[in-house]
Amino acid sequence: MQKKVKVKPNTKQQKIAEQPDGSLTVYLKSPPVDGKANEELIKLLADKFDVPKSHIRIKSGVSSRQKLIEIDTDV
């Protein structure tokens, strides 16, 4: 499964908001430095979709706020 994700780093609380078009807006506490925000993003998505972190991959947008995430739900 692939999801479009818009990331908002440096927010006060972590949350995932599903948009009407099926994409996700993810609010992260971490700053976008040294991959910290991406690590937090993967952890949050793993919890939401109930899969191991190793089953989530950032396909595009590693250094962008707009990301394409691939989630392997075949556990």
Side-chain angles (χ1 to χ4, degrees):
M1 159 174 50
Q2 290 188 352
K3 283 273 189 196
K4 286 186 178 174
V5 176
K6 184 174 186 179
V7 177
K8 298 198 177 214
N10 284 331
T11 60
K12 288 190 193 273
Q13 67 182 44
Q14 293 178 326
K15 72 176 184 179
I16 298 175
E18 194 148 347
Q19 301 305 314
D21 66 356
S23 67
L24 300 174
T25 302
V26 182
Y27 299 85
L28 303 172
K29 289 183 177 180
S30 302
V33 180
D34 296 332
K36 286 189 168 106
N38 286 338
E39 286 175 27
E40 184 181 352
L41 172 67
I42 288 171
K43 183 179 181 307
L44 274 177
L45 291 174
D47 290 345
K48 177 177 173 55
F49 291 103
D50 198 27
V51 296
K53 289 190 288 186
S54 60
H55 287 173
I56 296 181
R57 216 166 47 98
I58 299 174
K59 283 194 73 171
S60 66
V62 172
S63 60
S64 166
R65 287 177 187 232
Q66 300 281 350
K67 301 181 186 301
L68 184 62
I69 306 291
E70 187 173 68
I71 302 164
D72 182 8
T73 54
D74 302 328
V75 179

